[in-house]
Amino acid sequence: MADLDRKLFLGGRLKRLRYDLSLTQTQMAADLGVSASYLNHLERNQRPVTAQVLLKLAATYDLDLRTFTDDSEPAGEADLVEIFADPLFKDLHLPRREISELVASSPIAAEAVTRLYRAYTERRKRDALVAAPEETEQSPTDWVRDQIQGHHNFFPELDEPGEQLFNTLGGDPHTIEEAAQARLKDQYGIEIRLMPAQVMMIYQRRFDPHRRRLMISETLGPSSRRFAVLYQLALSEYGAEINALAEKAKVPDLATARLYKIALLNALTAATLMPYGRFLNEAESNAYDIELLRAPFEVSYEQAAQRLTTLSRPGSRGVPFFLMRIDSAGNVSKRFAAGHFPFSRYGGACPRWNIHQAFQTPGRIITQVIETPDGQRYFTLSRTLDRSLRAYADGAYAEQAIGLGCELKYAEKLIYARGLDLAQPNAVQTGPMCRLCERANCRERAAPPAVKALVIDEWIKGVTAFPF
């Protein structure tokens, strides 16, 4: 605990805490048993925070005073230092002291500056891509996607720890979430709290390092909540190993490193929820029936489908699937492939692939045999994803669909291909240069290079977002 005899000016942290709890000054003052004007003085650093107020804060809001009062760099200060190092602000000669004061006195304003700068840099990248796409440096998203594809979406360094963690948590998929919560609490002092959507606002999950608390939005479904808990445990258990993998990959910059680590942690979490050996055995014994595959692991359709693209262990391989996720407007947010598939680099999926028709039959799996311009044939199945809970005021929900497929020679192993003539299938020609593209204004042919900047993989978009 902090030395309660020294004067503590914690206005910025107090204001940040109140903002995170969605409280007015009047509400927090009532909770603490002080006047609103006194709390206002505390937040403006016109009065030091007394020992009595600190103890009341700890008791009322379950704070860890050691982290709340420490002298470490305030959250967000490092981001602002990096932002103001941009040549755009060179003539201002902004001293570090003023940046520190901004974060300390107005943390919300500091966060607003950070968000605005991020939006500015993203727009600058898009404008540069339109002007000279061939000269633009590879974006962090593209680098991470290429890195994962270079590994064919298979990381044995993550599958083995995932199986170990699964066994450490008792080896039972039905109790793994409770075991993970207990381990987070006992080993790392981290509690899990389910929070109302009004409190979480734009976030689905958020970790509060000061209170050692993982807050999860109650709008998330059960499988997503389990993933969020296991993600936090994977980060706590194997953070050093994830950092080592990023260093080994020679990630070019900090932004790319952050996205790559999130991608690796997602893979490790999936490997814990669905350990390789057990998952492959279930897949093979059920002829890759995804609905039957979901049940033993209590995962979503998307989680099971994405895990199917990772089964490339030598001597114990599954069907080499590829996967694409799109929304109802055709925007691509995921691409994975354990084997060969000619994904379009800049555009979306060919309109002749029936993944687009899946939106007309929500919840139903529809199959198709497609042929790409190189003569390769693939068996595919497409299905919409279940809707997530969403407030009416948040606007229209963008439906999403998953397209999963494999080379036709593997289709005989899938329950979805039974009864079809795989020797002489009715294949639909698709691909970036299919005949439809040659005749009409197809999405693949017409998509300009600028689309590249808009095809964002949501699963590596940032700490507030994760897949499934």
Side-chain angles (χ1 to χ4, degrees):
M1 186 179 292
D3 180 4
L4 300 182
D5 291 328
R6 65 188 174 95
K7 291 185 177 181
L8 296 173
F9 293 91
L10 304 172
R13 299 187 188 193
L14 193 58
K15 187 185 298 183
R16 184 51 160 186
L17 173 64
R18 182 169 60 80
Y19 175 77
D20 288 343
L21 295 174
S22 299
L23 296 175
T24 64
Q25 279 190 338
T26 301
Q27 291 171 326
M28 177 173 272
D31 289 345
L32 300 177
V34 300
S35 67
S37 61
Y38 179 68
L39 179 60
N40 184 49
H41 285 309
L42 293 179
E43 290 190 355
R44 294 167 63 185
N45 284 329
Q46 293 178 345
R47 296 274 188 90
V49 178
T50 65
Q52 290 78 9
V53 172
L54 278 177
L55 294 174
K56 187 67 174 178
L57 279 167
T60 305
Y61 303 121
D62 193 23
L63 286 182
D64 183 347
L65 293 184
R66 289 170 298 182
T67 55
F68 188 71
T69 62
D70 66 18
D71 294 322
S72 60
E73 180 178 86
E77 184 171 328
D79 288 338
L80 281 186
V81 170
E82 183 178 350
I83 288 170
F84 287 116
D86 190 300
L88 179 68
F89 306 108
K90 185 178 180 180
D91 62 314
L92 297 178
H93 304 292
L94 189 66
R96 176 67 178 263
R97 172 181 51 80
E98 291 192 21
I99 297 176
S100 300
E101 290 175 356
L102 173 62
V103 176
S105 62
S106 303
I108 302 170
E111 182 174 337
V113 172
T114 301
R115 292 187 185 181
L116 185 61
Y117 181 79
R118 287 173 181 166
Y120 161 73
T121 54
E122 285 296 320
R123 179 56 184 266
R124 188 167 59 179
K125 289 178 182 177
R126 295 184 187 187
D127 290 345
L129 186 61
V130 172
E134 68 283 352
E135 298 176 5
T136 304
E137 293 183 2
Q138 189 178 37
S139 72
T141 300
D142 287 338
W143 188 94
V144 173
R145 184 168 52 228
D146 290 347
Q147 186 75 11
I148 292 174
Q149 192 51 50
H151 287 79
H152 298 290
N153 200 26
F154 174 62
F155 293 87
E157 308 95 328
L158 302 177
D159 276 318
E160 293 175 9
E163 287 180 307
Q164 293 172 6
L165 187 54
F166 175 83
N167 293 328
T168 299
L169 296 174
D172 186 350
H174 303 296
T175 61
I176 193 172
E177 182 179 355
E178 293 78 9
Q181 289 193 33
R183 188 169 179 83
L184 280 169
K185 176 65 174 175
D186 296 341
Q187 298 293 324
Y188 304 101
I190 297 175
E191 292 185 336
I192 310 297
R193 292 289 179 89
L194 204 60
M195 306 295 287
Q198 297 88 337
V199 175
M200 296 296 289
M201 295 182 292
I202 64 171
Y203 300 103
Q204 291 185 319
R205 65 176 291 276
R206 189 173 184 182
F207 179 65
D208 183 342
H210 298 294
R211 287 178 288 179
R212 307 294 294 168
R213 180 179 296 170
L214 176 64
M215 296 177 287
I216 301 175
S217 173
E218 62 186 7
T219 62
L220 284 181
S223 60
S224 295
R225 294 178 191 175
R226 295 172 80 241
F227 194 94
V229 173
L230 268 294
Y231 180 100
Q232 190 65 47
L233 181 59
L235 174 60
S236 302
E237 296 267 347
Y238 294 105
E241 288 80 357
I242 294 294
N243 288 335
L245 286 175
E247 291 179 9
K248 181 180 178 182
K250 294 181 170 49
V251 183
D253 52 57
L254 290 177
T256 305
R258 184 186 187 194
L259 294 181
Y260 189 51
K261 290 174 186 178
I262 292 172
L264 294 175
L265 278 167
N266 283 329
L268 176 56
T269 305
T272 305
L273 280 169
M274 298 164 278
Y276 192 103
R278 183 179 295 216
F279 186 81
L280 178 59
N281 288 337
E282 289 286 348
E284 294 280 352
S285 61
N286 288 299
Y288 291 88
D289 187 320
I290 298 178
E291 294 300 330
L292 294 181
L293 188 54
R294 293 174 55 185
F297 302 98
E298 297 185 3
V299 295
S300 68
Y301 182 90
E302 183 176 4
Q303 288 172 335
Q306 187 166 325
R307 184 63 168 140
L308 285 174
T309 67
T310 68
L311 305 179
S312 300
R313 180 180 289 175
S316 184
R317 297 180 186 272
V319 171
F321 284 101
F322 61 85
L323 176 148
M324 180 182 286
R325 186 179 72 185
I326 67 170
D327 64 18
S328 52
N331 300 309
V332 178
S333 55
K334 281 187 182 180
R335 289 189 182 107
F336 295 109
H340 170 74
F341 187 73
F343 287 124
S344 170
R345 182 68 177 176
Y346 300 113
C350 175
R352 300 196 69 179
W353 184 11
N354 68 6
I355 186 174
H356 301 283
Q357 282 69 57
F359 295 107
Q360 300 172 15
T361 55
R364 252 185 75 194
I365 292 177
I366 55 177
T367 63
Q368 186 181 36
V369 176
I370 62 176
E371 181 177 337
T372 51
D374 58 3
Q376 292 293 321
R377 292 182 173 183
Y378 303 87
F379 180 83
T380 70
L381 50 139
S382 303
R383 177 189 185 274
T384 55
L385 300 179
D386 298 328
R387 290 175 177 265
S388 61
L389 297 177
R390 189 180 181 91
Y392 176 79
D394 290 339
Y397 174 84
E399 289 187 302
Q400 294 179 313
I402 286 283
L404 191 69
C406 62
E407 292 182 62
L408 190 62
K409 62 184 178 182
Y410 299 106
E412 62 183 9
K413 301 187 70 173
L414 312 183
I415 193 170
Y416 306 103
R418 290 180 181 173
L420 299 180
D421 184 0
L422 297 178
Q424 294 181 317
N426 181 23
V428 176
Q429 189 174 17
T430 66
M433 290 298 292
C434 66
R435 288 180 185 146
L436 179 64
C437 295
E438 293 170 358
R439 294 196 308 266
N441 191 25
C442 172
R443 172 191 306 276
E444 287 287 341
R445 186 175 177 84
V451 173
K452 178 181 178 182
L454 303 177
V455 181
I456 301 173
D457 293 82
E458 293 181 2
W459 61 283
I460 54 175
K461 195 165 56 177
V463 294
T464 63
F466 55 95
F468 318 119

